[in-house]
Amino acid sequence: MATSLTKDSVQPGTPGPDKAFFGHPRGLATLFMTEMWERFSYYGMKALLPLYLVAPGGLHLSAGTATAIYSVYLSLVYLLALPGGWFADRVLGPRKTVAVAGAIIMLGHLTLALPWAGTFYGGLGLVAIGSGLLKANISTMVGHLYDGPEDPRRDGGFTVFYIGINLGAFAAPLAIGTVGENVNWHLGFALAALGMALGLTQFLLGGRHLDSRSDVVPTPLTAPEKAATLRKAAFWAAVAAVFYLVVGVSGVYTLNWLLVPITIAGLVIPVLVIARMKRDKELDRAEQSKLTAYIWFFVAAAVFWMIYDQGGSTVSLFAESSAENSVFGWEFPVSWYQSVNPVMIMALAPVFAWAWLALARRGKEPSTAVKFTMGLVLIGASFFLFLAPLSIAEGGHKAAALWLAAIYFVQTLGELTISPVGLSVTTKMAPQKYASQMMGIWFLAVTAGDATTGLLSIAEVDLNRMGVVALEAVLAVVAGAAVWMYRKKVKELMGDVH
């Protein structure tokens, strides 16, 4: 049942202004800890996933199949962020949706912890569904804590929130990865479930500190809309069930019958969503112009994430098979490489923020198009760098761990020039009609990039071959050069957005 609350209504037990979290509303502590533990569970499972898929004690799949599953899984997480936002807007509201999401994620990790291969894909699907529901809504709830966009604490609040994300992402591979690789894979997944359980528990206990707007269902479904939605959902679920039953009974079912449709959806849906917006006659000329400019950034981001997310699959699987995973004779689990990026993000993000402000004061801050060019060139450079350890491995030697650390370092530099900038430009260029949906559109760029990697893996393209890695690196640099060449045109299309 939809809840109707005004901004000024107060819930019982809401803290007074004297209670704060580092100068911010007390509710930020609740969301900080929820997101930290959710990211702990997510990144821990993500670090283990490709390694478990290829391990003799795991599913013992080929590297290509493991990369396909990993890429399709990531693609699905970001694809489901779009309906996740719709579900909160039309059905439960952000707060209840996040609570449901946490329970689904925990159940998914527990399912992964079961020592049966048959339940594995079901667990993976549950984690993807829960992550999509949560990802779309928890940031919205952070925004609810502040008195509009002009609240001077707002940017600082999001900065604190993102520290929670990276703390969870940093700790997860060190804890979950160690347990999974060195003790038992399924115990590692169970530890991820424990992390989400802790996050969900404190979210429920600290819910009284959240703003009342987080309980509101902005545009609740009417009774006829609910009935129509349920009918459509039931129809398509029945179609899928019958289709896979027929395929299974006929004996022709393989994993690709599941992976290929999801991969194609990850490529087609972003195109359809943007095309629908471009055809919308209600958008004025300025909004249509900005949307055309945004397509440039969307495609550039898809190329970026296609390569970036291989840090957890292609690069990680290379480390497992062909790297000397030790420093000064001290060996460490392969999953620990996934902690390199978040610790570098925490160290370098303030530096980048300071640098952009310093350049802005002098009137020399690069434009959004130039920043995207830098990100694409850097992600391309990371794969050019990847050619060195690949060459060493082809010579029959183990590549040093520092080569891989250098790859993750360069990728982090690229991320800091594209990810926060992309989030910012998405909010600035969103047509008024689609203001609440545009963040989901940004996530679809990740979906498209990971779906492309998944499709290549399904087509049995060996992503660890030097020729393929070099080709991807060249693609990124060429994409960056294209954005650079047309930067003035893109700037014109952006209109009053700077």
Side-chain angles (χ1 to χ4, degrees):
M1 184 176 180
T3 305
S4 179
L5 293 172
T6 66
K7 176 185 171 183
D8 296 322
S9 61
V10 180
Q11 297 176 330
T14 300
D18 57 312
K19 293 187 177 181
F21 178 66
F22 294 109
H24 293 273
R26 183 68 180 273
L28 184 61
T30 296
L31 298 177
F32 175 97
M33 295 298 292
T34 302
E35 184 71 348
M36 185 190 76
W37 282 116
E38 188 274 332
R39 292 290 88 182
F40 175 85
S41 68
Y42 175 81
Y43 279 98
M45 186 277 290
K46 183 179 165 186
L48 279 187
L49 181 57
L51 304 176
Y52 170 75
L53 291 172
V54 301
L59 296 189
H60 205 191
L61 302 174
S62 67
T65 302
T67 299
I69 293 171
Y70 179 89
S71 301
V72 168
Y73 164 72
L74 292 187
S75 173
L76 193 58
V77 166
Y78 287 93
L79 182 63
L80 290 171
L82 205 60
W86 176 90
F87 190 79
D89 286 344
R90 306 301 307 274
V91 183
L92 281 185
R95 180 175 168 181
K96 290 180 181 177
T97 300
V98 167
V100 170
I104 293 173
I105 292 169
M106 183 178 66
L107 180 61
H109 288 306
L110 287 173
T111 305
L112 289 172
L114 298 174
W116 304 315
T119 61
F120 175 79
Y121 297 105
L124 211 55
L126 287 171
V127 176
I129 291 168
S131 297
L133 287 169
L134 188 141
K135 182 177 290 294
N137 294 293
I138 195 162
S139 294
T140 300
M141 295 172 69
V142 175
H144 287 165
L145 297 172
Y146 300 95
D147 189 18
E150 304 307 318
D151 191 322
R153 301 171 299 166
R154 186 183 180 92
D155 286 351
F158 273 97
T159 300
V160 173
F161 178 70
Y162 286 125
I163 289 173
I165 292 175
N166 286 289
L167 279 175
F170 169 70
L174 303 181
I176 295 173
T178 302
V179 171
E181 286 190 67
N182 294 343
V183 182
N184 180 276
W185 296 107
H186 297 285
L187 192 58
F189 294 131
L191 188 57
L194 175 62
M196 190 64 254
L198 291 172
L200 180 59
T201 299
Q202 70 81 41
F203 178 78
L204 295 174
L205 292 176
R208 67 184 186 278
H209 299 298
L210 301 176
D211 190 273
S212 58
R213 285 173 291 178
S214 296
D215 285 308
V216 175
V217 181
T219 53
L221 290 172
T222 62
E225 286 176 327
K226 284 182 182 179
T229 302
L230 287 172
R231 281 197 303 270
K232 289 178 183 178
F235 172 77
W236 287 111
V239 168
V242 170
F243 175 78
Y244 282 105
L245 180 63
V246 171
V247 171
V249 170
S250 65
V252 298
Y253 177 81
T254 65
L255 189 58
N256 283 348
W257 283 94
L258 181 64
L259 297 180
V260 171
I262 297 175
T263 303
I264 293 174
L267 291 171
V268 172
I269 289 176
V271 175
L272 293 178
V273 170
I274 293 176
R276 178 176 61 84
M277 293 172 64
K278 283 295 294 178
R279 291 195 304 267
D280 192 333
K281 302 298 184 183
E282 294 182 15
L283 302 187
D284 60 32
R285 180 175 295 181
E287 289 177 321
Q288 284 286 0
S289 178
K290 290 175 184 177
L291 197 54
T292 299
Y294 188 75
I295 292 172
W296 280 86
F297 299 129
F298 182 92
V299 174
V303 173
F304 177 88
W305 294 116
M306 178 188 73
I307 296 175
Y308 177 90
D309 276 342
Q310 289 184 59
S313 55
T314 305
V315 180
S316 184
L317 291 173
F318 171 83
E320 192 274 334
S321 63
S322 305
E324 188 67 49
N325 303 308
S326 64
V327 178
F328 302 119
W330 174 66
E331 293 189 13
F332 55 87
V334 175
S335 54
W336 282 24
Y337 284 112
Q338 302 309 307
S339 288
V340 174
N341 170 261
V343 74
M344 288 182 175
I345 288 286
M346 288 188 285
L348 295 174
V351 176
F352 270 72
W354 171 85
W356 298 143
L357 285 173
L359 289 170
R361 290 192 204 100
R362 301 173 187 175
K364 295 182 179 180
E365 183 182 7
S367 67
T368 300
V370 172
K371 290 176 182 176
F372 267 70
T373 296
M374 294 165 61
L376 286 166
V377 170
L378 284 165
I379 202 67
S382 76
F383 261 36
F384 278 125
L385 188 61
F386 190 19
L387 294 174
L390 285 171
S391 178
I392 292 170
E394 284 193 358
H397 304 286
K398 293 279 189 178
L402 288 179
W403 280 113
L404 302 183
I407 293 169
Y408 290 118
F409 173 72
V410 175
Q411 290 189 342
T412 301
L413 295 178
E415 180 185 359
L416 288 169
T417 62
I418 277 192
S419 186
V421 176
L423 290 168
S424 176
V425 80
T426 296
T427 59
K428 291 176 182 177
M429 295 175 66
Q432 185 62 37
K433 181 178 178 180
Y434 298 106
S436 62
Q437 297 181 38
M438 280 299 285
M439 201 55 69
I441 304 298
W442 172 252
F443 289 144
L444 287 182
V446 187
T447 295
D450 286 322
T452 302
T453 301
L455 196 60
L456 290 172
S457 299
I458 291 168
E460 298 185 355
V461 174
D462 185 357
L463 296 175
N464 260 320
R465 283 176 49 206
M466 291 186 67
V468 175
V469 170
L471 187 61
E472 291 185 77
V474 169
L475 172 64
V477 173
V478 169
V483 174
W484 168 264
M485 289 173 59
Y486 287 91
R487 67 191 185 281
K488 292 182 180 178
K489 176 64 176 176
V490 173
K491 189 174 182 179
E492 289 175 11
L493 291 169
M494 291 172 70
D496 59 356
V497 175
H498 303 291

